[in-house]
Amino acid sequence: MKSPSDFELSRRKLLAGSAASIALTAAPSIVNAQVPAVEAAVADVSAEWKVSFTVNGTARGLTLDPRTTLLDSLREHLHLTGTKKGCDHGQCGACTVIVGGRRINSCMTLAVMHEGERITTVEGLGTPENMHPMQAAFVKHDGYQCGYCTPGQICSAVAVLDEIKAGIPSHVSADLNAPPQLSNSELRERMSGNICRCGAYSNIAEAISEVAGRPA
Amino acid sequence: MRSFTYERARTPAEAAASAMRKPDAKFIAGGTNLLDLMKLEIETPAHLIDVNGLALDKIEPTQEGGLRIGALVRNTDLAADTRVRRDYGVLSRALLAGASGQLRNMATTAGNLLQRTRCPYFYDTNQSCNKRKPGSGCAAIGGFSRQHAVVGASEACIATHPSDMAVAMRALDATVETVRPDGATRTIPIAEFYRLPGDTPHIETTLMPGDLITAVTLPKPVGGKQIYRKVRDRASYAFALVSVAAIVQRDGTGRVALGGVAHKPWRVEAAEAQMPNGAKAVAARLLADARPTRENAFKLALAERTLGAVLAEAKG
Ligand SMILES: Cc1cc2nc3c(=O)[nH]c(=O)nc-3n(C[C@H](O)[C@H](O)[C@H](O)COP(=O)(O)OP(=O)(O)OC[C@H]3O[C@@H](n4cnc5c(N)ncnc54)[C@H](O)[C@@H]3O)c2cc1C
Ligand code: SF4
Ligand code: FES
Ligand code: FES
């Protein structure tokens, strides 16, 4: 099976090729005939962009079609496939990464919008030999079944504990002006942007509670 | 997603001028609504102006005793600002009731105001939609309209505005500040910012092409109990069916705005005179011109009951 990046690459080549053949006014090739004229015409406005950012402590430079999302740049260009694509529309949280210390959906932002920023993916939190406490707690509490949502859950959970520490309130905080509690309902509300199709929620909540230092 | 050229703007005036110069240009801030729509080719800008480098990310006190919120202040930071929590609780609450933690970390003040409807027919490019494709018709009228507007709608469009934040901003009488491509600035009271659909539902605000929002200003705090109550199909991470933003003073007077019922945050100042008389009286006035469909008529009762719960909470 072709990976999406192969597809993107070949599509881009195809477009560039067809634009070039129009320029040369060669007899229309089969490829050329299949590409609608409008697409050929816009192909050259999608100039490539250089972007550099730090991923898991390593400086990385990429030359990208500006349409590339941060998620696709991580998975398809840097081959960091820990971060998952679930919905690609901001609805599931599988693509959650930490940028500049804050969790975001990497599918809903362009890579070129992150020049100079510090990005942490699940691979950067820990390794199988040296797991982050949140990763270890997910293993201990069986905080997953298929595991597809797990990298997003773990990145989100790490950031959630920082958000509570920073005093950021949530929808369920009873008092906006008091420091937020580490209660189960707080953790659940804050994790609601991470959907688990397998329904491992109660084990996920236990894993996070353990790292937070309270019983679930 | 269609191809586009990309630019990082350095000053607000430059961003606005560039938007005027380039046909089909769009600003991109958090990207959480625009990219969603670009992936579906509902939005097809030929040029993207990234405004994230503009220094519009501060919340500053105004001379009048209010707050000036930069267009790029993230929803998380606005909700967590200690002054907003203390003096404009309804705004914190509305923000925290919207989207998810990850999305609020990206979403900006201006982007939130300008997010587009969640009408499912607007999202489905196989359906007719006057908002997406002017003149093509409205598949929601006569279709599944449970989520749609009950008041202020037209024969052309019955969509609602999905923002929670905007409902609180309406109750707080916020003003939107813009810079025009020629460098001129404008101040638009939020009451005049959103348009009803009429026969041009694709024109949603009174902004002119190229206008860049630079800030949203809140007047001096008005005190009172500030409550945002959102009713939705799940307890979290869902758009409102009906929401109520209320500021209730000790004597029972105050302000209310509704979300989820119209093409814009719905506030009728005359209805507020009824606040000491209870929710039924307020709702009757607020929704006097309602024309619900069979599927969304439940919103009328839901709005009245939600108002009732909010007024009771304010007393308690
Ligand atoms: C799964 C999901 C659930 C959500 N749930 C909710 C919810 O419950 N409640 C809610 O209120 N919202 C919800 N949202 C919507 C979210 O709040 C918006 O997507 C977000 O606020 C948009 O802000 P942004 O900065 O990302 O905007 P962008 O996507 O960057 O931009 C949106 C629009 O604003 C324009 N724009 C941006 N900045 C400026 C500026 N300075 N001047 C002029 N124009 C500008 C852009 O050109 C674009 O047209 C949800 C979104 C998703 C994906
Ligand atoms: S209600 Fe408005 S947005 Fe929805 S299909 Fe009709 S015209 Fe489009
Ligand atoms: S893949 Fe990004 S939120 Fe689903
Ligand atoms: S473990 Fe399968 S989706 Fe969460």
Side-chain angles (χ1 to χ4, degrees):
Chain A
M1 201 185 92
K2 275 191 158 189
S3 76
S5 63
D6 290 340
F7 173 73
E8 264 183 25
L9 202 66
S10 56
R11 181 170 175 274
R12 212 182 301 139
K13 273 192 192 144
L14 182 83
L15 292 176
S18 66
S21 57
I22 287 170
L24 293 169
T25 60
S29 65
I30 291 172
V31 167
N32 204 351
Q34 284 176 342
V35 179
V38 273
E39 279 207 44
V42 294
D44 63 335
V45 302
S46 193
E48 298 203 313
W49 264 77
K50 284 196 169 49
V51 63
S52 31
F53 38 56
T54 307
V55 183
N56 300 331
T58 309
R60 310 298 296 252
L62 290 170
T63 303
L64 298 170
D65 181 314
R67 286 175 289 185
T68 315
T69 59
L70 179 60
L71 173 61
D72 286 342
S73 76
L74 293 169
R75 287 182 55 85
E76 314 298 342
H77 296 266
L78 297 174
H79 306 293
L80 289 166
T81 52
T83 309
K84 299 293 185 251
K85 183 185 281 188
C87 63
D88 212 21
H89 285 278
Q91 298 173 358
C92 76
C95 64
T96 304
V97 298
I98 303 172
V99 177
R102 315 179 74 165
R103 57 181 172 143
I104 65 167
N105 305 95
S106 60
C107 71
M108 295 298 276
T109 188
L110 299 171
V112 290
M113 290 162 67
H114 295 282
E115 178 66 36
E117 294 193 273
R118 268 184 314 113
I119 298 154
T120 304
T121 69
V122 71
E123 291 97 336
L125 289 176
T127 61
E129 298 72 40
N130 184 20
M131 282 191 281
H132 184 281
M134 193 64 76
Q135 290 169 320
F138 268 67
V139 173
K140 178 174 160 196
H141 291 277
D142 236 353
Y144 44 78
Q145 286 180 38
C146 76
Y148 198 80
C149 70
T150 313
Q153 300 276 2
I154 290 176
C155 285
S156 201
V158 167
V160 159
L161 297 186
D162 288 341
E163 287 167 14
I164 293 176
K165 239 183 252 153
I168 295 169
S170 87
H171 174 60
V172 300
S173 306
D175 182 353
L176 273 183
N177 297 301
Q181 308 287 303
L182 265 172
S183 64
N184 195 41
S185 70
E186 279 282 358
L187 293 178
R188 282 174 175 270
E189 161 60 25
R190 289 167 191 270
M191 290 296 293
S192 70
N194 291 84
I195 310 289
C196 175
R197 190 182 49 174
C198 299
Y201 296 113
S202 63
N203 292 2
I204 292 170
E206 277 177 25
I208 304 173
S209 295
E210 176 170 307
V211 180
R214 64 168 297 279
Chain B
M1 203 187 297
R2 302 278 179 86
S3 295
F4 52 82
T5 47
Y6 173 79
E7 155 188 11
R8 294 188 188 120
R10 282 162 306 185
T11 66
E14 180 189 295
S18 174
M20 200 60 200
R21 214 166 37 239
K22 302 261 175 41
D24 292 331
K26 278 245 159 206
F27 303 118
I28 186 161
T32 62
N33 190 230
L34 185 57
L35 285 173
D36 192 8
L37 297 170
M38 284 170 65
K39 287 180 185 186
L40 298 165
E41 300 196 353
I42 294 165
E43 298 267 20
T44 53
H47 183 65
L48 270 194
I49 304 165
D50 183 345
V51 296
N52 286 287
L54 306 182
L56 300 173
D57 57 352
K58 288 171 198 66
I59 306 174
E60 297 158 328
T62 62
Q63 286 190 336
E64 295 74 36
L67 285 180
R68 185 166 186 274
I69 303 156
L72 285 166
V73 172
R74 307 290 154 173
N75 287 180
T76 298
D77 298 320
L78 184 54
D81 184 272
T82 48
R83 294 160 293 185
V84 175
R85 286 199 251 171
R86 187 189 61 219
D87 298 330
Y88 306 96
V90 66
L91 179 57
S92 268
R93 287 289 182 196
L95 285 159
L96 295 171
S100 67
Q102 291 96 312
L103 289 162
R104 292 192 297 271
N105 280 342
M106 311 162 83
T108 62
T109 308
N112 191 316
L113 284 179
L114 293 178
Q115 64 176 295
R116 306 202 66 194
T117 187
R118 293 277 159 174
C119 168
Y121 301 100
F122 172 76
Y123 264 80
D124 182 348
T125 49
N126 294 312
Q127 303 283 345
S128 52
C129 170
N130 288 323
K131 191 183 272 300
R132 177 165 34 73
K133 195 161 175 249
S136 65
C138 169
I141 297 175
F144 292 101
S145 55
R146 180 172 177 270
Q147 306 172 21
H148 291 77
V150 292
V151 68
S154 70
E155 296 300 314
C157 177
I158 58 171
T160 57
H161 195 272
S163 169
D164 292 295
M165 183 192 81
V167 183
M169 293 287 197
R170 181 68 182 89
L172 290 166
D173 279 331
T175 50
V176 179
E177 293 180 12
T178 66
V179 59
R180 299 194 40 76
D182 62 7
T185 58
R186 195 151 69 108
T187 302
I188 311 165
I190 191 136
E192 292 158 27
F193 182 73
Y194 292 110
R195 299 175 78 249
L196 285 177
D199 42 21
T200 53
H202 59 292
I203 306 172
E204 293 166 349
T205 66
T206 51
L207 291 179
M208 305 295 280
D211 279 2
L212 176 83
I213 298 177
T214 50
V216 176
T217 302
L218 300 177
K220 179 160 119 272
V222 292
K225 273 230 167 137
Q226 302 202 359
I227 298 170
Y228 189 77
R229 180 73 69 93
K230 178 175 178 180
V231 184
R232 43 187 160 173
D233 286 328
R234 320 187 267 248
S236 186
Y237 202 18
F239 288 92
L241 289 167
V242 164
S243 70
V244 173
I247 302 172
V248 188
Q249 304 297 345
R250 211 169 288 182
D251 61 2
T253 62
R255 306 175 185 180
V256 286
L258 299 181
V261 299
H263 199 252
K264 60 180 189 179
W266 194 253
R267 182 169 169 205
V268 178
E269 273 85 347
E272 292 167 1
Q274 299 295 328
M275 281 177 71
N277 302 328
K280 210 180 176 68
V282 181
R285 194 68 204 266
L286 256 174
L287 298 168
D289 301 323
R291 284 178 53 214
T293 66
R294 196 163 47 84
E295 290 184 357
N296 67 19
F298 75 95
K299 286 191 178 184
L300 300 182
L302 189 58
E304 183 188 314
R305 288 178 199 153
T306 311
L307 257 167
V310 165
L311 296 182
E313 183 184 336
K315 259 195 212 141

